[in-house]
Amino acid sequence: MKKIIVLTSGGDAPGMNAAIRAVVRSAHYYGIQSFGSQLGFQGLVDKNLIPLQPESVANCIQHGGTILKAERCLPFYEKSTRDECRKFLKQMEIDGIVVIGGNGSFRGGALLEQEGGPPAIGIPGTIDNDIPGTDYTIGFDTARNTALDAIDRIRDTASSHNRHFLVEVMGRTSGFLAVDVGIAGGAEVIIIPEFETPITAIAQKLTSPKRPKSSSIIVVAEADHPGWSMQLGKELSELTKLNFRVCILGHTQRGGTPTLIDRKIASQMGFMAVTALRDGISSKMVAMNRDQMTLEPFPDVDAPARTVIDRNLLELNEVLCL
Ligand code: F6P
């Protein structure tokens, strides 16, 4: 193994830079030259590969975003585009690809390999933590801490004004972010796509004469319709006659300084990805399950996203919140 490519694809996540750094430096350790593909698979389409030396990734571990930039590359879904890319990779004598991203991005790497391209290994990166086959995805810890910090701030003003807030966090199909920040932020209600929360039950809870508090925070996962908490806030205001405010945290959760956990896991995953390629392993995703790094098959592209299946945390929240 002489040359590998590393790319970040799909939505960015804090900690991706730490993973890139680990890939480049681990490759160097094994005497492998790495190249960065700019803007995910688009860099292959554009034949835009940048040689990366150990010093190219200096001072990036502490930064959010991705120094390689990330994109959802639609042309790459076309076989003819992938054929062109494969020819280019052959000319460049590329022996392996490390794809940092989500399920769709892994599919790109897997297809390229199946069609005769270089072996591919995936590193899971998304703030949603929803990739099947791994308990953890890079960026999740930073995002939940960013959201928690926002909730703490909102709690101050909510309590000063006896106000009720809906705080919308990301999470397209899964409520992992919402559940964790809801519990840690003492949310009165957590609404996630996996389980139904009737609006009447929320209204009842907040307006109960037995309730000792006059403010509240409801954490809402954006689910498939970002911004829907505005409508929910309106409906709740009408139903309860309470004073509701809505705060959509949106892309603030995608940026910022990665936490220690994200940097550490990304570093471990980057090293494992390169070691796997060097050992002749491919079409696998580096995963973290029960605190152990493992290699798992690429998730099936049609597999549903990993979801919160454990109701216990929601029940715990019911017990703890007034
Ligand atoms: O997949 C991560 C995620 O942050 C989702 O929670 C969100 O719905 C989506 O990306 C938004 O991404 P973009 O604005 O880049 O399309």
Side-chain angles (χ1 to χ4, degrees):
M1 175 139 308
K2 295 259 183 327
K3 294 180 187 174
I4 61 167
I5 287 175
V6 56
L7 58 86
T8 47
S9 168
D12 64 351
M16 281 185 164
N17 284 328
I20 297 168
R21 172 181 177 270
V23 168
V24 172
R25 296 209 172 151
S26 306
H28 179 76
Y29 171 78
Y30 289 129
I32 301 166
Q33 171 66 53
S34 27
F35 294 83
S37 170
Q38 286 271 320
L39 285 169
F41 289 101
Q42 189 62 44
L44 308 187
V45 178
D46 298 339
K47 303 186 170 40
N48 182 12
L49 296 185
I50 303 160
L52 296 171
Q53 315 304 344
E55 60 274 19
S56 316
V57 288
N59 277 328
C60 75
I61 194 168
Q62 73 275 34
H63 294 301
T66 155
I67 55 170
L68 293 176
K69 299 186 181 286
E71 190 59 277
R72 296 181 172 99
C73 177
L74 296 180
F76 205 75
Y77 287 107
E78 303 292 327
K79 176 147 187 326
S80 53
T81 308
R82 292 196 302 275
D83 288 345
E84 279 300 307
C85 294
R86 213 178 52 241
K87 273 187 226 151
F88 167 61
L89 295 174
K90 200 165 177 158
Q91 266 167 26
M92 291 286 296
E93 299 179 318
I94 298 296
D95 305 308
I97 300 193
V98 178
V99 177
I100 306 170
N103 219 354
S105 311
F106 297 158
R107 172 144 175 87
L111 280 175
L112 200 63
E113 179 175 351
Q114 277 160 27
E115 292 161 2
I121 287 279
I123 296 180
T126 160
I127 65 162
D128 291 348
N129 201 22
D130 62 351
I131 301 180
T134 181
D135 287 349
Y136 193 80
T137 62
I138 296 168
F140 177 61
D141 187 55
T142 307
R144 67 185 167 180
N145 278 293
T146 302
L148 181 61
D149 180 57
I151 286 170
D152 288 348
R153 288 161 194 264
I154 291 169
R155 178 74 74 185
D156 290 345
T157 175
S159 145
S160 306
H161 290 284
N162 286 340
R163 271 181 181 156
H164 302 267
F165 271 86
L166 285 150
V167 182
E168 185 178 302
V169 299
M170 276 188 163
R172 212 177 345 210
T173 44
S174 310
F176 289 102
L177 267 175
V179 168
D180 277 16
V181 302
I183 288 175
E188 276 67 22
V189 181
I190 301 171
I191 303 176
I192 61 172
E194 289 88 334
F195 301 113
E196 211 185 322
T197 316
I199 185 169
T200 45
I202 304 172
Q204 225 167 35
K205 175 171 181 167
L206 299 185
T207 53
S208 162
K210 290 196 203 126
R211 185 163 191 256
K213 284 173 78 177
S214 46
S215 64
S216 63
I217 291 192
I218 301 177
V219 172
V220 188
E222 67 175 14
D224 241 348
H225 23 271
W228 78 287
S229 50
M230 295 297 289
Q231 178 59 26
L232 185 60
K234 235 168 105 185
E235 287 171 20
L236 272 171
S237 293
E238 278 163 19
L239 200 61
T240 59
K241 311 287 177 249
L242 295 172
N243 192 359
F244 272 92
R245 292 287 191 274
V246 178
C247 180
I248 299 170
L249 299 184
H251 290 77
T252 57
Q253 297 158 99
R254 286 255 292 263
T257 305
T259 59
L260 181 151
I261 288 179
D262 274 324
R263 298 185 207 189
K264 183 180 168 207
I265 293 176
S267 301
Q268 291 173 284
M269 287 185 165
F271 177 71
M272 190 155 181
V274 176
T275 308
L277 278 178
R278 184 177 154 270
D279 293 346
I281 298 166
S282 69
S283 273
K284 300 263 187 217
M285 165 185 75
V286 181
M288 202 175 88
N289 288 309
R290 294 191 189 86
D291 289 332
Q292 296 291 318
M293 291 284 162
T294 57
L295 287 165
E296 304 294 331
F298 276 139
D300 186 343
V301 73
D302 297 321
R306 194 172 82 93
T307 54
V308 178
I309 44 171
D310 184 355
R311 268 203 105 102
N312 290 345
L313 287 172
L314 292 177
E315 279 161 15
L316 167 72
N317 205 55
E318 276 301 304
V319 173
L320 300 184
C321 285
L322 304 174

